[in-house]
Amino acid sequence: MNKNYYAIIMAGGIGSRFWPISRTSHPKQFIDILGTGKTLIQQTYDRFLKVCPKENIFVVTNEIYTGLVNEQLPDMAANQILTEPVMRNTAPCVAYGCFKIQSINPDAAIVVAPSDHLILDEPGFVATIEKSLATATQHQCLVTLGIKPSRPDTGYGYIQYTDNIIDGDFHKVKTFTEKPTLEIAKTFIQSGDFLWNAGIFVWSAAAIVKAFEQHLPDMNEIFADARPHYNTENEKAHVNQAFLQCTNISIDYGIMEKADNVYVLPSEFGWSDLGTWASIYELADKDYVGNAVIPSEKVIMYDSSNCMVNVPEDKLVILQGLHDFIVVESNNTLLICPRDQEQNVKKVVGDVKARFGTKYI
């Protein structure tokens, strides 16, 4: 196993589209949302154990989740859990992890990935990451993974690529597009040169630090100034102050859309970002009329089909005459909505917060 390979797991989000199961105090990355016996962050950690030594895996998360990370990933040392005092999107998160790792090993190559994605083909995923780490190191480029689209989905960002290729498979990126309308998504699929943006990045520590210097110089200065403090007892206090100075910006907007050395590797390893209840429904086992029920022991359904049901194990639930609905109960909250309107869940969360405060959020 290559000791220059490192992984950063981003685990600071609150997963509001999975409300009410995912809450601010216990978001979806810390939940066994598919009923597999392991939470999403545990599955992510286990995957990266096949890529790099366990001491080379770092988790960046909000400081309120430190206890959850310690509980679910007990093998991680304290200096491998990097905490953010405030949410500032993914660019500061990436900067912190990558600047810290560079201070440990200037020759490091790093994969950065969310903590809450599903990967069905783990050997394929590991091979893809190892291939990307080698290419990123050799060419000092920024690599992103693109998923070959199976449908014109409006819930994903898209990456357009060119015929400029390195190492046989890595295409120069032409454009990034955030979640498009359905009509635009259809044209993307028809064109044949677009991929879904998986939000998984690979680069050398040197290349990403250089990219921060060029494209986010203020943020670069903040985390470069922290170099004397990384891996010391002063790190947390210094980084807490650093985060307060950071702008709220994603790594996609801040770096990837601006840099001229970005390449995408078209990939297929059974990926899902598990972004919505619809994605869970697609992956879950279903009965003969299309109902996905997790857990199913005490749910009785009459004349109902194509529903996504997730309720407490001890709750007896009877549904009749319900078709194409999401039914979810957790934490004193019951959500019932049509499956084709699930994108409204995030808005519902905002409305609930406005009306009742954070009690149910």
Side-chain angles (χ1 to χ4, degrees):
M1 189 172 286
N2 193 322
K3 293 186 177 180
N4 288 335
Y5 288 173
Y6 290 75
I8 296 173
I9 300 172
M10 298 183 291
I14 60 174
S16 60
R17 287 187 177 87
F18 278 100
W19 182 84
I21 283 182
S22 180
R23 297 208 170 193
T24 302
S25 61
H26 201 102
K28 70 168 180 171
Q29 60 267 31
F30 302 108
I31 298 171
D32 178 11
I33 208 160
L34 287 169
T36 64
K38 288 194 174 182
T39 66
L40 296 177
I41 194 172
Q42 287 172 329
Q43 293 181 46
T44 303
Y45 178 79
D46 288 349
R47 278 195 294 275
F48 284 125
L49 287 175
K50 300 170 185 175
V51 173
C52 59
K54 72 176 183 178
E55 61 269 20
N56 290 8
I57 301 175
F58 293 81
V59 170
V60 185
T61 190
N62 191 284
E63 62 185 5
I64 66 174
Y65 303 137
T66 306
L68 285 169
V69 177
N70 281 323
E71 176 187 323
Q72 296 196 6
L73 303 177
D75 284 350
M76 296 202 80
N79 70 335
Q80 292 173 266
I81 303 172
L82 314 185
T83 58
E84 308 165 303
V86 291
M87 293 183 182
R88 286 288 190 268
N89 217 316
T90 52
C93 158
V94 169
Y96 180 17
C98 290
F99 275 77
K100 178 182 169 77
I101 288 171
Q102 188 197 35
S103 73
I104 298 170
N105 181 355
D107 297 322
I110 306 164
V111 52
V112 180
S115 58
D116 53 2
H117 288 186
L118 176 71
I119 307 294
L120 295 176
D121 177 9
E122 291 207 348
F125 174 80
V126 171
T128 297
I129 296 300
E130 289 178 337
K131 184 177 182 179
S132 299
L133 286 162
T135 292
T137 300
Q138 180 181 348
H139 295 276
Q140 290 300 296
C141 58
L142 310 179
V143 173
T144 184
L145 301 189
I147 306 300
K148 294 175 182 177
S150 58
R151 60 188 182 278
D153 199 303
T154 61
Y156 298 138
Y158 286 74
I159 301 169
Q160 184 181 24
Y161 59 90
T162 72
D163 291 331
N164 182 345
I165 299 173
I166 59 173
D167 286 359
D169 299 299
F170 294 81
H171 294 254
K172 189 84 183 298
V173 170
K174 184 176 182 180
T175 62
F176 286 89
T177 303
E178 279 304 301
K179 300 170 183 178
T181 64
L182 181 59
E183 290 307 312
I184 292 175
K186 287 178 179 177
T187 64
F188 287 173
I189 301 300
Q190 291 166 0
S191 72
D193 59 354
F194 282 83
L195 302 164
W196 286 337
N197 186 351
I200 301 171
F201 309 105
V202 181
W203 40 54
S204 69
I208 190 61
V209 167
K210 184 177 180 181
F212 272 97
E213 290 173 0
Q214 293 176 330
H215 304 295
L216 288 174
D218 291 345
M219 196 173 296
N220 171 74
E221 185 176 343
I222 290 168
F223 287 97
D225 286 348
R227 282 193 175 107
H229 304 281
Y230 294 133
N231 309 300
T232 74
E233 61 183 13
N234 298 324
E235 178 178 328
K236 182 177 175 63
H238 194 90
V239 169
N240 280 358
Q241 288 302 311
F243 261 87
L244 297 177
Q245 301 173 56
C246 289
T247 54
N248 188 324
I249 189 170
S250 71
I251 193 69
D252 300 77
Y253 283 125
I255 301 286
M256 303 302 283
E257 293 185 13
K258 298 175 182 176
D260 61 3
N261 62 335
V262 179
Y263 289 80
V264 62
L265 177 60
S267 307
E268 289 184 286
F269 40 70
W271 170 87
S272 172
D273 74 341
L274 297 182
T276 62
W277 282 112
S279 59
I280 299 295
Y281 176 80
E282 292 299 325
L283 293 161
D285 293 334
K286 304 174 188 67
D287 64 18
Y288 71 101
V289 288
N291 294 313
V293 184
I294 308 171
S296 59
E297 286 76 10
K298 292 187 177 180
V299 177
I300 303 173
M301 306 186 74
Y302 301 97
D303 183 30
S304 298
S305 64
N306 303 317
C307 290
M308 173 73 237
V309 182
N310 190 308
V311 293
E313 292 184 18
D314 60 350
K315 169 98 34 165
L316 174 61
V317 176
I318 294 90
L319 301 176
Q320 182 165 0
L322 210 59
H323 305 279
D324 299 289
F325 267 75
I326 296 167
V327 180
V328 183
E329 181 180 354
S330 183
N331 301 301
N332 278 338
T333 304
L334 174 64
L335 172 71
I336 302 172
C337 75
R339 277 179 44 219
D340 62 3
Q341 295 178 34
E342 62 150 11
Q343 293 290 347
N344 291 333
V345 171
K346 197 167 186 177
K347 179 183 181 301
V348 170
V349 172
D351 292 343
V352 170
K353 186 175 182 180
R355 186 167 178 180
F356 300 105
T358 58
K359 178 180 179 180
Y360 298 101
I361 305 301

